Amino acid sequence: MLKNALVATVLVMFGSAALACAAEKDDVQAAVKKLSDSGYSWKQTTEGGAGAAAGRGGGAVEGKFQADGLTWVSRTGGNNTTVFIIKGDKGAIKAGDADWVSLDDAQNDQAAQRAARGAKSFKLPTVQAATTIDGVKEFAKADDAYSADLSEEAVKQLMTFGGGRGRGGANANANATPPQITNAKGTVKVWLKDGALTKIVYNVQGTISINGQDRDINRTTTTEFSDVGTTKIDVPAEAKTKIG
């Protein structure tokens, strides 16, 4: 009788823990969806990496997303800033001091070609978060923060997405051999407030091999969200004519 009672207690405790882990993941997924449905602004910084060819670190990204799909993104690297505005498959790009050009026209503009590739392959941070979190087995919660280990597949995806190849950047080449990644590991940590995602931090580590050269990566990407439900994008008149 005592043995059966102990077994039943263990099963109840195990079941309760499993339900708690599932509930925590549900909370995080719901917080990401709330942003996607409401619109938001964000700022993203990346630290670490191993040079442009291996998923370069550094630089900053700012963006705004309206619930109707209109998206404004500004990327700064070195002394150059590129801005693009997209909605669906239409968009306009301003590379540095150049004039605004449409996504289609950018293919014939040397200064905007790279930016156009980046715009076409761009993923909203909430889209990336939803995909990554879907593959997480369980979260550990402490106050308003939730943390988890990432799967090897998720780490590899984040490592390539973070570099020039994964985002249609300077090293993008449809015929290029994709980089080989080994020893991939990583973590994700998210913060919630009022049921919405306020901050997400990815740390990815591994060895990436490109053209026979191995480079160790230890990269941290931090994205902070604000103006949930109130973000508005003012599209410059020059860009409006290019978006259509």
Side-chain angles (χ1 to χ4, degrees):
M1 179 72 71
L2 180 60
K3 180 178 180 181
N4 291 338
L6 288 172
V7 171
T9 300
V10 170
L11 290 174
V12 169
M13 292 175 64
F14 180 80
S16 298
L19 288 174
C21 290
E24 288 163 358
K25 181 174 178 178
D26 288 344
D27 288 345
V28 175
Q29 289 176 317
V32 174
K33 186 176 186 302
K34 183 174 182 178
L35 280 188
S36 299
D37 293 343
S38 305
Y40 56 89
S41 299
W42 79 89
K43 292 184 179 180
Q44 182 181 88
T45 57
T46 302
E47 298 178 348
R56 59 183 179 273
V61 179
E62 293 187 30
K64 298 180 180 183
F65 168 72
Q66 292 183 175
D68 64 358
L70 184 65
T71 304
W72 173 92
V73 179
S74 174
R75 288 176 173 166
T76 300
N79 296 320
N80 298 317
T81 297
T82 298
V83 178
F84 61 82
I85 301 173
I86 53 177
K87 186 173 183 180
D89 59 355
K90 300 292 185 180
I93 298 171
K94 180 175 175 59
D97 295 328
D99 294 331
W100 285 94
V101 295
S102 69
L103 276 179
D104 293 335
D105 290 342
Q107 304 305 317
N108 302 317
D109 187 318
Q110 187 174 3
Q113 281 180 352
R114 295 175 180 177
R117 288 196 294 266
K120 288 187 174 182
S121 63
F122 175 75
K123 286 185 179 180
L124 285 163
T126 44
V127 173
Q128 180 65 63
T131 301
T132 303
I133 290 167
D134 186 58
V136 168
K137 291 183 178 180
E138 60 184 45
F139 280 90
K141 182 182 179 184
D143 298 323
D144 291 328
Y146 299 70
S147 57
D149 291 327
L150 295 173
S151 67
E152 182 179 1
E153 180 182 356
V155 173
K156 288 181 177 180
Q157 197 276 335
L158 285 168
M159 287 180 73
T160 53
F161 176 74
R165 293 176 187 272
R167 291 165 103 166
N171 297 303
N173 186 333
N175 298 316
T177 301
Q180 301 300 308
I181 299 172
T182 55
N183 304 318
K185 62 180 181 179
T187 59
V188 60
K189 189 171 184 179
V190 301
W191 286 260
L192 311 182
K193 183 178 180 180
D194 299 328
L197 182 65
T198 59
K199 182 179 178 180
I200 185 165
V201 177
Y202 302 105
N203 175 260
V204 293
Q205 300 177 39
T207 301
I208 188 167
S209 179
I210 300 177
N211 299 325
Q213 294 184 337
D214 290 344
R215 295 181 175 90
D216 292 330
I217 301 292
N218 185 343
R219 186 171 66 227
T220 299
T221 301
T222 301
T223 307
E224 297 185 75
F225 302 91
S226 61
D227 301 329
V228 179
T230 61
T231 291
K232 298 294 182 183
I233 299 172
D234 294 323
V235 181
E238 301 90 337
K240 283 183 180 180
T241 61
K242 306 299 181 181
I243 296 175

